[in-house]
Amino acid sequence: MDDLERVVTALREARGVVVLTGAGVSAESGLRTFRGPDGWWRGHDPLRLATPEAFAADPALVSEWYDERRLGALAAHPNPAHIALAALERHLVAAGRRFLLVTQNVDGLHRRAGSRAVVELHGTITVWRDHRSGRRVTPPATPFASHPQPGPDGGHLRPDVVWFGEALPSAALAEAEAALGWCDLFVVVGTSAVVYPAAGLIEGAAAQGARCVEVNPEPSAANVHTRLVGRAGDLLPRLVARAFGAGSSSTQA
Ligand code: BJW
């Protein structure tokens, strides 16, 4: 039996499945990853821009980067990987088994593909908040008139995402950690697995006895039992079709 067939069997037999996704799952929707060769924006390292320090030093620059990415996310479409994960959830739930999709992505594409049990560890790019008061707003799907954009309470608008050094939303992290107690299969898709506490979920799942599987064209930092080498948009539809029947990931909810 090859690795793909082993994962198909694991999907069929699992009582509870958790999937952790990263930027790679949206690469085939045309969105840039952070650490890939196309990640830099106008000569800026995205890992430096995604910090409170960058926003304090140059709010206009950071606002412009996020506004461009916000509009890019709104214009993007879920790809076959997002759609396969939504189908996987439907199959498992219909069979009375548990499922949770934990994403580090802020683009909203999993929900738009039809996934329901989704935990967004790093927030969402379509919601912004006043950097002084924290009051949230959902801006219209048009470019901001200026950068930074004034907030409703006299501050600047910043995206409602989690930057380095900031705490993750506590309810989201707690839900992801609680799932490690019931999952027996943990699937890691399209993440370099170097950012914590998200990457720690993989170690936590393995420590609690789950089989850990990776789907990625490059091996990540994650310590997993099985690596499926390839693009998520190729491998995930094949896995779901082999586990639950041909064509089973082709329709959205
Ligand atoms: C494909 C593909 C295809 C390509 N198919 N795959 C423990 C140890 C060391 C450090 C720490 C630690 N605990 C905490 C830290 C500090 C820090 C951290 O982790 N630093 C490390 C980098 C060293 N963590 C934090 O600061 C976190 N906060 C925190 O811990 O707070 C503590 C606290 C508590 C109480 C009060 C206050 C504080 C916050 C981390 C926030 C990360 N934020 C970002 C930006 C989000 C907003 C935005 O989108 O701009 O999140 S950074 C960026 O990295 C983003 C991503 O979600 C995250 C992960 O990146 P990801 O998704 O893995 O992307 P890439 O580009 O790295 O990888 C893409 C992958 O896809 C590659 O593997 C490709 O091969 C693959 N791929 N095409 C499948 N078609």
Side-chain angles (χ1 to χ4, degrees), residues 84-160:
L85 289 173
L88 176 63
E89 176 177 11
R90 288 196 297 278
H91 286 296
L92 291 172
V93 168
R97 294 182 279 151
R98 298 185 76 172
F99 178 85
L100 184 67
L101 200 165
V102 180
T103 188
Q104 300 167 85
N105 298 346
V106 298
D107 54 38
L109 288 176
H110 285 302
R111 288 188 201 279
R112 284 174 50 201
S115 287
R116 300 221 166 127
V118 181
V119 165
E120 291 170 321
L121 286 180
H122 293 163
T124 169
I125 204 167
T126 52
V127 177
W128 290 51
R129 62 180 200 254
D130 187 297
H131 92 289
R132 287 212 186 118
S133 67
R135 189 161 14 146
R136 290 181 169 84
V137 296
T138 301
T142 49
F144 288 155
S146 63
H147 295 289
Q149 187 76 3
D153 297 313
H156 303 315
L157 278 190
R158 59 156 285 179
D160 195 23

Side-chain angles (χ1 to χ4, degrees), residues 23 28 34-35 66 69 104 122 162 165-166 191-192 196 216 232:
E28 292 161 70
F34 287 87
R35 293 166 185 80
Y66 275 101
R69 288 180 53 209
Q104 300 167 85
H122 293 163
V162 183
E166 295 183 331
T191 176
S192 55
Y196 285 78
N216 199 313

Side-chain angles (χ1 to χ4, degrees), residues 163-222:
W163 286 332
F164 282 114
E166 295 183 331
L168 275 62
S170 54
L173 185 58
E175 192 177 352
E177 287 173 343
L180 305 185
W182 52 254
C183 81
D184 49 8
L185 179 63
F186 192 98
V187 185
V188 185
V189 185
T191 176
S192 55
V194 293
V195 173
Y196 285 78
L201 296 170
I202 309 163
E203 295 146 28
Q208 296 195 44
R211 164 161 288 277
C212 295
V213 172
E214 171 166 280
V215 175
N216 199 313
E218 308 284 339
S220 77

Side-chain angles (χ1 to χ4, degrees), residues 41 48-51 54-56 58-67 128 159 163:
W41 178 77
R48 288 187 184 275
L49 292 177
T51 63
F55 187 67
D58 195 341
L61 178 79
V62 175
S63 170
E64 199 175 346
W65 182 53
Y66 275 101
D67 193 31
W128 290 51
W163 286 332

Side-chain angles (χ1 to χ4, degrees), residues 1-16:
M1 196 189 285
D2 67 8
D3 280 344
L4 192 102
E5 241 4 91
R6 265 187 213 100
V7 177
V8 166
T9 304
L11 279 173
R12 283 198 193 118
E13 294 177 352
R15 291 186 309 275

